[in-house]
Every structure is written in structure tokens, then in C-alpha cells.
Amino acid sequence: MSDAPSSTSLTASAHERRKKVRIRLAMMIVAMGLGGWLRLADLERAGPILWDDAYMHLEARFFASGARAIAESAARWREERRTGQDLWKLDAEVARVRAATEGEPPFYGRPAHTAATLAAMAAFGDVPFAACVASAVLGWLTIPLAGRLAE
């Protein structure tokens, strides 16, 4: 007699594995839907919930306004090179960039969160709830990570 499993038992075990995967997928979809609704609902009205959301928003504003100011300075420099007019002076440009840069320089060591806040600001504008959106989305994305770790 052979100890090899029959083809019907292999098919049944494969079917059971697929069924378990479908159940896990359905549970993950329900958890993601519920978690998304709970975490993302009504963020526009809430504004910064905790001080770290507000500070992350200020850090992102620092990068966004600084990048805009540097881009404007670079445009003036290119225009000077193109036309030959005296439009760009280093001291004046440094003063303009410093004056135009708003927010707070990075203090907390969370560059991914600041980058996510910058992405939210790019999508929604410089609004008070941008850091809340970043926190909510990053928190929402931990649901599948926790599910994978639980397996």
C-alpha cells in the first residue's frame, strides 16, 4: 500500500486553504472598512486633535513653504540668466526665503509622518486637518499589518 495521499484529499485540503484565505480576506475587508470609517470620518471638522498633529502640520508647512520660496528664487535666478538683468542677489534671496518660510523646523524624528502630512497638504491644501489625515491614514494602514502579524 502506498503512503502517498490521494488526489481527492489534496483537492479537499487545497479547498479548505482557499476557504480560510477567503474568510481572512473578508474579515480584513470588514476591519479595514470599519477602521477607515471610524478613523477617517469627520476629520475636516475635528482639526488637530493632539499637539503632535499640530506640530507635524507645522513641520510640513515649514518644508512646503520653504520649497515654494526656493522654487521662486530659482525662477528669478533662471530669469536673470535668460535676460541678463540683475534680478537675483544672494543676500536678498536668503532673506526672502527665510521670510517666506513658515512653520517650525523639524524637531521630532518622524520623517515618514512629516512626508505623509506633506502629501495630505498637497491633496487638501494647507488646512488644519492635514496632519490628522496623515495620522488617520497611517493608522488605518496598520490594520493589515496587524493582521499579517497575527497570522
Side-chain angles (χ1 to χ4, degrees):
M1 259 187 132
S2 169
D3 287 339
S6 68
S7 64
T8 56
S9 67
L10 284 176
T11 306
S13 70
H15 178 69
E16 287 298 316
R17 273 183 279 161
R18 282 192 207 118
K19 185 176 178 181
K20 286 180 183 179
V21 167
R22 286 186 192 128
I23 289 171
R24 283 189 197 136
L25 182 62
M27 289 171 55
M28 185 60 66
I29 289 170
V30 168
M32 291 287 289
L34 182 62
W37 179 71
L38 289 173
R39 191 67 171 105
L40 298 169
D42 208 20
L43 281 178
E44 184 175 344
R45 187 182 59 79
I49 298 168
L50 299 171
W51 66 273
D52 61 338
D53 282 343
Y55 204 85
M56 289 299 170
H57 184 258
L58 290 174
E59 284 184 2
R61 181 182 282 174
F62 176 82
F63 285 114
S65 63
R68 270 191 307 274
I70 291 170
E72 291 168 3
S73 176
R76 275 189 294 280
W77 182 82
R78 284 191 308 270
E79 184 68 18
E80 177 183 295
R81 296 298 179 254
R82 188 179 65 79
T83 63
Q85 295 176 342
D86 192 18
L87 301 174
W88 195 91
K89 298 282 187 208
L90 179 61
D91 293 336
E93 291 302 317
V94 168
R96 275 190 197 127
V97 169
R98 284 186 178 158
T101 302
E102 302 172 337
E104 294 291 325
F107 179 72
Y108 294 102
R110 296 187 244 172
H113 197 286
T114 303
T117 304
L118 273 169
M121 287 173 69
F124 300 108
D126 190 0
V127 292
F129 65 90
C132 298
V133 170
S135 293
V137 169
L138 290 175
W140 180 65
L141 291 175
T142 61
I143 296 171
L145 178 65
R148 291 295 293 174
L149 289 173
E151 289 179 6

